[in-house]
Amino acid sequence: MGCPSFFTGGLMHRVLLGLPNGGSVKTKTMVSVLRNVLRNADIMDFLPVAGALGPENRNALAEHAVEHDYTHLWLVDADMWFHDDALAKLLAHDLDIVGLPYNRRGL
């Protein structure tokens, strides 16, 4: 792993997209992930973590992001889907933490 740094608006971004999962990921989730990774390959790394769902996976991803000097950690659940420009919209907020309610189920 080791994406190059990328500057937007004077800010350097290195994004780790973490996908904690219990061993399987929905197809629409992977399509969403791949579209965002391909669109942002110059600033993004992708790290799936399989195992028991819960805080352990998210904590492992957060530790990896800190240890490898990422500026951002984007956590995606295994049953989510989102638009191709999702990362750009999240980064545009220029905040330490961006969260949103998410209830889109039934992939």
Side-chain angles (χ1 to χ4, degrees), residues 2-107:
C3 65
S5 300
F6 180 72
F7 291 87
T8 57
L11 299 174
M12 180 174 60
H13 299 297
R14 288 189 66 235
V15 180
L16 176 63
L17 190 154
L19 182 60
N21 65 84
S24 63
V25 178
K26 298 283 187 177
T27 301
K28 284 189 176 182
T29 302
M30 285 309 302
V31 169
S32 297
V33 165
L34 288 172
R35 285 182 175 160
N36 273 268
V37 168
L38 292 172
R39 188 174 179 145
N40 300 285
D42 52 349
I43 64 166
M44 181 183 282
D45 281 335
F46 173 58
L47 182 61
V49 176
L53 294 177
E56 297 82 18
N57 287 348
R58 287 174 177 77
N59 287 342
L61 287 162
E63 287 175 13
H64 184 87
V66 169
E67 289 170 2
H68 293 89
D69 298 320
Y70 288 93
T71 59
H72 298 79
L73 172 61
W74 182 15
L75 294 173
V76 173
D77 287 342
D79 60 353
M80 299 172 81
W81 70 269
F82 38 88
H83 295 284
D84 297 359
D85 61 350
L87 178 63
K89 287 182 176 180
L90 291 170
L91 291 174
H93 287 282
D94 195 27
L95 297 169
D96 291 339
I97 298 173
V98 178
L100 61 140
Y102 198 89
N103 63 356
R104 193 176 278 174
R105 301 279 182 194
L107 296 173

